[in-house]
Amino acid sequence: MENTKAIIVGISIGDLNGIGGEVVLKTFEDERSLELCTPVIFASAKTMGFLKTHFNSTIHFNSINNLDHIKEGKVNVYNCWREPVSINFGQEDVTIGTYAVKSLECATKALKDNYIDVLVTAPINKHNIQSDRFNFPGHTDYLAQQLKGESLMFMVANELRVGLLTDHVPLKDIAQHITPELIKKKIAIVHDSLKKDFAINKPKIAVLGINPHTGDHGVIGNEDDTIMRPTLKQIKESGTLVFGPYAADSFFGNDNYKNFDAIIAVYHDQGLIPFKTLSFGQGVNFTGGLNRIRTSPDHGTAYEIAGKGLADAGSFKEALYTAIKIFRNRSDYELFSSNPLKKIYKKT
């Protein structure tokens, strides 16, 4: 059985002074992308018209004011606002931040109301989006509040998958966040996502250590011995194939990561530095654990090249493809789980 449904992909436009608009245009200038999905950009026809002119894009937009009017085979633009927006590439602007939030809120509502199947978010500036009404460190935290489930930052690039125990937490506060409950919760999310979203039947998960050399038996901290090891032992005894803790400094360099379906890092840079080094700008940020699918490119607003036509759309394209693949995998998982007899018809 093959799922051939045309997937509707919602796109929040992100910071308009950054490279988000450019990579969105470059992605959908390739008309083959419309064979994979039906895109809906949450912005305005005027804003996208300005970007089209600036970047000499050949895209023809279908402007809509009602999500019931989405057209398959077209690049749809849903008008979240009507007034003109002053775009100054490369500048951090609080007003531009409010439009990034408008786009995200509008797209998230469409996702919750089932007008779109998945959400791909263009980069935002975490500073200029802050206000009394919107007070979140980034996309992940906002979506965790809006959508059901426990969120996890899951970085994906082909067979390399890195999840985080903690994400946007200051380094000085990391140790106090690491508890047996958190470790069990995050590993359960990764394990569940590997099965449902990546179609891996018996996932093998590696966990990195908290301290350098996993503490060297207490010489460089005792958290790995008192918290991490006993917790991983309990999880493994329950049937989950989890291994570690591994010393983070050598784990990626000796290719040990290739032996696992996912790696869980303790904190942001421990996981993202090796991930971004190995993925060469083709990585995807997937918010695992939620009842809806959201991906984004693994880069930021890149103000230094914004508006110059130099942005590489590779990571955004991968975010698009990954969202589509996860949607199909999750749909198949739910279908076959509800009726195991249908597995005999599934194409391999």
Side-chain angles (χ1 to χ4, degrees), residues 155-229:
M155 306 301 294
V156 180
N158 297 317
E159 302 304 310
L160 174 62
R161 306 175 189 92
V162 178
L164 302 181
L165 283 183
T166 64
D167 41 54
H168 296 125
V169 175
L171 190 59
K172 64 182 177 62
D173 299 331
I174 295 296
Q176 66 191 50
H177 280 75
I178 307 302
T179 64
E181 293 74 24
L182 177 70
I183 295 167
K184 290 176 182 178
K185 181 175 73 173
K186 295 294 186 179
I187 289 176
I189 294 171
V190 169
H191 186 265
D192 188 59
S193 180
L194 289 171
K195 294 180 70 174
K196 293 180 178 179
D197 301 329
F198 297 95
I200 299 170
N201 189 35
K202 292 183 178 180
K204 291 176 61 179
I205 301 169
V207 181
L208 302 182
I210 300 169
N211 297 296
H213 310 295
T214 64
D216 269 345
H217 303 290
V219 176
I220 318 175
N222 62 10
E223 291 87 354
D224 290 283
D225 290 331
T226 62
I227 300 174
M228 185 66 82
R229 284 190 174 88

Side-chain angles (χ1 to χ4, degrees), residues 1 3 5 27 34 38 73 91 99 123 134 144 148 168 181 190 218 246 248 286 290 299 317 333-334 341 346:
M1 183 181 296
N3 189 342
K5 178 183 180 294
T27 296
L34 299 181
T38 298
Q91 302 298 312
Y99 285 104
F134 190 94
K148 294 179 182 178
H168 296 125
E181 293 74 24
V190 169
Y246 292 98
F286 165 51
L290 300 180
H299 57 72
K317 290 180 181 178
Y333 182 89
E334 293 171 357
L341 292 177
K346 184 177 181 181

Side-chain angles (χ1 to χ4, degrees), residues 18-304:
I19 64 171
E22 181 183 348
V23 298
V24 170
L25 290 176
K26 286 180 174 178
T27 296
F28 293 108
E29 280 173 352
D30 185 345
E31 294 186 355
R32 292 174 296 180
S33 63
L34 299 181
E35 298 173 8
L36 296 174
C37 66
T38 298
V40 183
I41 302 170
F42 289 83
S44 77
K46 289 180 181 178
T47 300
M48 296 310 299
F50 169 83
L51 293 173
K52 173 182 175 177
T53 300
H54 181 85
F55 292 108
N56 296 314
S57 174
T58 58
I59 289 181
H60 297 289
F61 297 116
N62 177 47
S63 175
I64 59 174
N65 299 313
N66 188 323
L67 290 169
D68 288 321
H69 297 158
I70 295 171
K71 288 187 178 180
E72 188 173 340
K74 301 289 186 181
V75 180
N76 299 271
V77 177
Y78 179 73
N79 292 295
C80 300
W81 59 82
R82 294 189 173 280
E83 68 275 13
V85 178
S86 179
I87 296 175
N88 296 288
F89 293 111
Q91 302 298 312
E92 181 176 332
D93 185 334
V94 173
T95 300
I96 288 294
T98 65
Y99 285 104
V101 171
K102 284 182 182 180
S103 175
L104 177 60
E105 290 178 333
C106 201
T108 302
K109 185 176 187 306
L111 186 65
K112 292 168 68 174
D113 292 343
N114 296 314
Y115 281 106
I116 60 177
D117 296 311
V118 300
L119 173 62
V120 181
T121 58
I124 55 173
N125 178 314
K126 293 180 175 62
H127 181 252
N128 71 11
I129 61 171
Q130 302 300 319
S131 68
D132 292 337
R133 188 175 63 84
F134 190 94
N135 184 22
F136 299 93
H139 287 114
T140 302
D141 305 88
Y142 171 73
L143 293 169
Q145 184 200 74
Q146 292 293 311
L147 304 174
K148 294 179 182 178
E150 295 282 356
S151 68
L152 170 100
M153 184 181 289
F154 209 179
M155 306 301 294
V156 180
N158 297 317
E159 302 304 310
L160 174 62
R161 306 175 189 92
V162 178
L164 302 181
L165 283 183
T166 64
D167 41 54
H168 296 125
V169 175
L171 190 59
K172 64 182 177 62
D173 299 331
I174 295 296
Q176 66 191 50
H177 280 75
I178 307 302
T179 64
E181 293 74 24
L182 177 70
I183 295 167
K184 290 176 182 178
K185 181 175 73 173
K186 295 294 186 179
I187 289 176
I189 294 171
V190 169
H191 186 265
D192 188 59
S193 180
L194 289 171
K195 294 180 70 174
K196 293 180 178 179
D197 301 329
F198 297 95
I200 299 170
N201 189 35
K202 292 183 178 180
K204 291 176 61 179
I205 301 169
V207 181
L208 302 182
I210 300 169
N211 297 296
H213 310 295
T214 64
D216 269 345
H217 303 290
V219 176
I220 318 175
N222 62 10
E223 291 87 354
D224 290 283
D225 290 331
T226 62
I227 300 174
M228 185 66 82
R229 284 190 174 88
T231 304
L232 295 184
K233 184 174 183 289
Q234 290 179 15
I235 296 170
K236 193 168 186 178
E237 288 173 349
S238 71
T240 300
L241 298 179
V242 60
F243 303 88
Y246 292 98
D249 61 347
S250 59
F251 184 82
F252 291 92
N254 65 14
D255 285 349
N256 196 14
Y257 71 94
K258 295 180 180 179
N259 296 318
F260 300 94
D261 299 302
I263 301 97
I264 298 181
V266 174
Y267 56 93
H268 186 278
D269 283 11
Q270 186 191 59
L272 266 66
I273 288 174
F275 175 84
K276 291 191 177 185
T277 301
L278 292 167
S279 63
F280 294 102
Q282 299 298 307
V284 174
N285 181 356
F286 165 51
T287 305
L290 300 180
N291 68 337
R292 293 289 189 272
I293 295 162
R294 173 261 174 168
T295 62
S296 73
D298 69 353
H299 57 72
T301 56
Y303 285 148
E304 66 278 7

Side-chain angles (χ1 to χ4, degrees), residues 323-335:
I324 292 169
K325 185 174 182 179
I326 291 174
F327 181 85
R328 295 203 187 283
N329 285 342
R330 191 176 290 190
S331 298
D332 287 344
Y333 182 89
E334 293 171 357
L335 175 65

